């Protein structure tokens, strides 16, 4: 399905028209091909294998072996150990069995801790996905802002060229002076310079969007406007429980705390005895004449009791306790940071909304002022300086209005990231 979508995007480019790219398509493409997302998912998948590794200690351990020994008659080991075992010439093959029967539940606790760490790594992968999506959204909105600025610049060139034509005609008719014509020409040059700068910013925004989507080279896209966003609650306190519940990095920290607590419980059972069933069976097709049978089998139970080990167990328990307390403090620290981030992001959204409304009003008034100045100039009631100032004010207001519109959307995207929610 993804390949068909990419093919559909390339079809308009074959006819000289940029493909239309929506925000949802950009996000999907980033999640599909961004190397950071892939690395985080692979790391989470690798961590997901560790619980099974720990639990394997509870499963039967079965293996096989084959060995042979050649020795001189009646040879014995006479150096290196406080023992004197005899060595027999033989060739043997067999299997061995090992099953842990009891360890005070320590292995189960270690497995639960490994599962918590695996889930934590998965939440870290979700954090990486959220960060990549935030980068895509910001780059996409920056691209839309650059496109809007470019349109304003091109419209400014067209409007000032129209004024230049009018001033040229009136100058040729000796109705206006050459100074007015010079002012109009300067205004057109300034507008063309604005277009060049806007084109450069649009190309830079396209490169940023391509990098955020995991692409090496930018592509020519016509960015579609994002869908309308739902209104925000009137108070930031209404958003805090959602953020504390949904932020993936906070969930990861809580799972790390759980893993540390499981390790603390497991280290507290180090002094518990361990009981293991062992067995072995096999055949010895070649052996010395003194051995009656060509097969062997044996089974037994091994009980390990730990009494003194130089304080290692108590040190491990103390270490696990301190790490668990540190994990608890990290959770509290991140919760405080989440509250701060959401509060600041909500304030930024509110400020951006007010700025957007004010710039819309400013643009409407600047357009009206320009129309009045142009009408006065055509009637001979004002100079070209007044028209130029009105043109500059209108252009500045339109640029501010375009920037404020997409800055508001960018602040909403940042707030959605801090809430751990969708951008909608």
């Amino acid at each position: 399905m993804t390949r068909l979508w990419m093919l559909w995007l390339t079809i308009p480019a074959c006819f000289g028209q940029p493909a239309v790219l929506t925000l949802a398509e950009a996000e999907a493409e980033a999640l599909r091909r961004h190397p950071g997302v892939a690395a985080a998912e692979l790391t989470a998948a690798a961590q997901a294998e560790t619980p099974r590794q720990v639990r394997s200690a509870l499963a039967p351990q079965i293996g096989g072996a084959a060995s042979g020994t050649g020795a001189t008659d009646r040879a014995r080991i006479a150096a290196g150990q406080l023992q004197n075992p005899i060595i027999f010439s033989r060739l043997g093959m067999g299997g061995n069995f090992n099953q842990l029967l009891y360890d005070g539940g320590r292995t189960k606790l270690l497995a639960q801790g490994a599962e918590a760490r695996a889930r934590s790594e998965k939440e870290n992968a979700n954090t990486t996905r959220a960060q990549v999506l935030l980068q895509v959204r910001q780059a996409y909105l920056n691209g839309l802002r650059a496109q809007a600025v470019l349109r304003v610049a091109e419209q400014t060139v067209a409007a000032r060229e129209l004024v230049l034509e009018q001033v040229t005609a009136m100058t040729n008719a000796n109705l206006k002076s050459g100074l007015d014509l010079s002012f109009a020409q300067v205004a057109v040059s300034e507008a063309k310079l604005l277009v060049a700068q806007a084109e450069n910013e649009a190309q830079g925004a396209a490169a940023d969007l391509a990098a955020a989507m995991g692409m090496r080279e930018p592509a020519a896209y016509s960015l579609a406007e994002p869908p309308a966003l739902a209104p925000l609650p009137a108070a930031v306190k209404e958003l805090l429980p959602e953020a504390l519940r949904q932020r993936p990095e906070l969930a990861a920290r809580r799972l790390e705390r759980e893993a540390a607590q499981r390790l603390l419980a497991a280290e507290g059972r180090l002094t518990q005895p361990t009981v293991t069933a062992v067995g072995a069976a096999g055949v010895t097709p070649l052996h010395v004449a003194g051995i009656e049978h060509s097969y062997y089998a044996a089974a037994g139970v091994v009980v390990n009791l730990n009494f003194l080990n130089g304080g290692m167990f108590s040190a491990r328990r103390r270490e696990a306790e301190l790490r668990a307390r540190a994990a608890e403090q990290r959770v509290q620290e991140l919760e405080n940071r989440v509250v701060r981030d959401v509060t600041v992001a909500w304030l930024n959204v509110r400020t951006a909304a007010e700025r957007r409304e004010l710039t819309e009003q400013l643009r409407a008034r600047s357009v009206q002022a320009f129309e009045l100045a142009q009408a006065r100039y055509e009637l001979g009631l004002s100079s070209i300086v007044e028209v130029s100032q009105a043109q500059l004010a209108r252009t500045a207001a339109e640029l501010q209005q375009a920037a404020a519109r997409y800055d508001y959307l960018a602040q909403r995207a940042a707030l959605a990231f801090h809430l751990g929610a969708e951008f909608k």
Side-chain angles (χ1 to χ4, degrees), residues 167 170 175-177 180 369-390:
V167 174
M170 288 187 288
L175 298 177
K176 297 294 180 181
S177 66
D180 291 358
F370 171 71
E371 293 175 350
L372 291 175
Q374 188 175 18
R376 283 169 51 83
Y377 177 73
E378 292 175 355
L379 295 174
L381 300 177
S382 64
S383 66
I384 191 64
V385 175
E386 182 178 340
V387 176
S388 299
Q389 291 176 344

Side-chain angles (χ1 to χ4, degrees), residues 43 54 56 58-59 105 233 261 280 292 315 335 343 368 373:
T43 302
V54 178
S56 65
L58 300 174
Q261 292 171 347
E292 181 179 357
E335 288 178 346
T343 302
Q368 183 180 11

Side-chain angles (χ1 to χ4, degrees), residues 208-251:
D208 292 339
L209 178 58
M213 292 170 59
M215 301 169 59
R216 291 190 176 183
E217 298 180 358
Y221 292 124
S222 176
L223 304 181
E225 290 290 331
L229 302 177
L232 286 178
V236 69
K237 292 183 178 180
E238 302 178 26
L239 300 174
L240 295 179
E242 178 184 359
L244 294 174
R245 184 179 64 254
Q246 296 184 166
R247 281 283 289 269
E249 59 265 50
L250 186 53

Side-chain angles (χ1 to χ4, degrees), residues 329-378:
Q329 295 300 317
R330 283 193 291 269
V331 170
Q332 295 182 11
E333 177 192 13
L334 185 55
E335 288 178 346
N336 294 339
R337 194 189 313 164
V338 166
V339 172
R340 181 207 63 188
D341 292 344
V342 172
T343 302
V344 173
W346 183 82
L347 292 173
N348 290 339
V349 169
R350 188 175 65 174
T351 302
E354 295 175 354
R355 180 169 177 265
R356 182 184 60 176
E357 295 177 358
L358 292 175
T359 55
E360 290 177 354
Q361 298 174 6
L362 178 62
R363 177 186 176 278
R365 292 169 182 171
S366 65
V367 170
Q368 183 180 11
F370 171 71
E371 293 175 350
L372 291 175
Q374 188 175 18
R376 283 169 51 83
Y377 177 73
E378 292 175 355

Side-chain angles (χ1 to χ4, degrees), residues 182-361:
S182 298
F183 269 105
Q185 291 172 343
V186 169
V188 171
S189 298
E190 290 176 346
K192 290 181 179 180
L193 182 60
L194 181 62
V195 169
Q197 182 179 357
E199 289 177 346
N200 181 71
E201 292 179 355
Q203 292 174 0
D208 292 339
L209 178 58
M213 292 170 59
M215 301 169 59
R216 291 190 176 183
E217 298 180 358
Y221 292 124
S222 176
L223 304 181
E225 290 290 331
L229 302 177
L232 286 178
V236 69
K237 292 183 178 180
E238 302 178 26
L239 300 174
L240 295 179
E242 178 184 359
L244 294 174
R245 184 179 64 254
Q246 296 184 166
R247 281 283 289 269
E249 59 265 50
L250 186 53
R253 287 287 177 87
R254 288 168 177 164
L255 288 168
E256 291 174 2
R257 177 185 61 187
E258 179 182 346
Q261 292 171 347
R262 291 285 188 267
L263 178 60
L264 174 60
E267 297 294 80
R269 302 187 183 186
L270 282 169
T271 56
Q272 293 286 329
T274 60
V275 182
T276 306
V278 296
V283 296
T284 55
L286 299 177
H287 53 271
V288 298
I291 299 178
E292 181 179 357
H293 300 289
S294 61
Y295 60 86
Y296 64 92
V301 176
V302 179
V303 179
N304 288 325
L305 299 175
N306 299 295
F307 295 105
L308 296 175
N309 54 12
M312 181 183 68
F313 287 172
S314 60
R316 288 176 60 173
R317 286 193 297 269
R318 180 60 176 167
E319 177 190 1
E321 179 185 0
L322 294 174
R323 293 188 183 278
R325 291 168 58 184
E328 176 65 32
Q329 295 300 317
R330 283 193 291 269
V331 170
Q332 295 182 11
E333 177 192 13
L334 185 55
E335 288 178 346
N336 294 339
R337 194 189 313 164
V338 166
V339 172
R340 181 207 63 188
D341 292 344
V342 172
T343 302
V344 173
W346 183 82
L347 292 173
N348 290 339
V349 169
R350 188 175 65 174
T351 302
E354 295 175 354
R355 180 169 177 265
R356 182 184 60 176
E357 295 177 358
L358 292 175
T359 55
E360 290 177 354
Q361 298 174 6

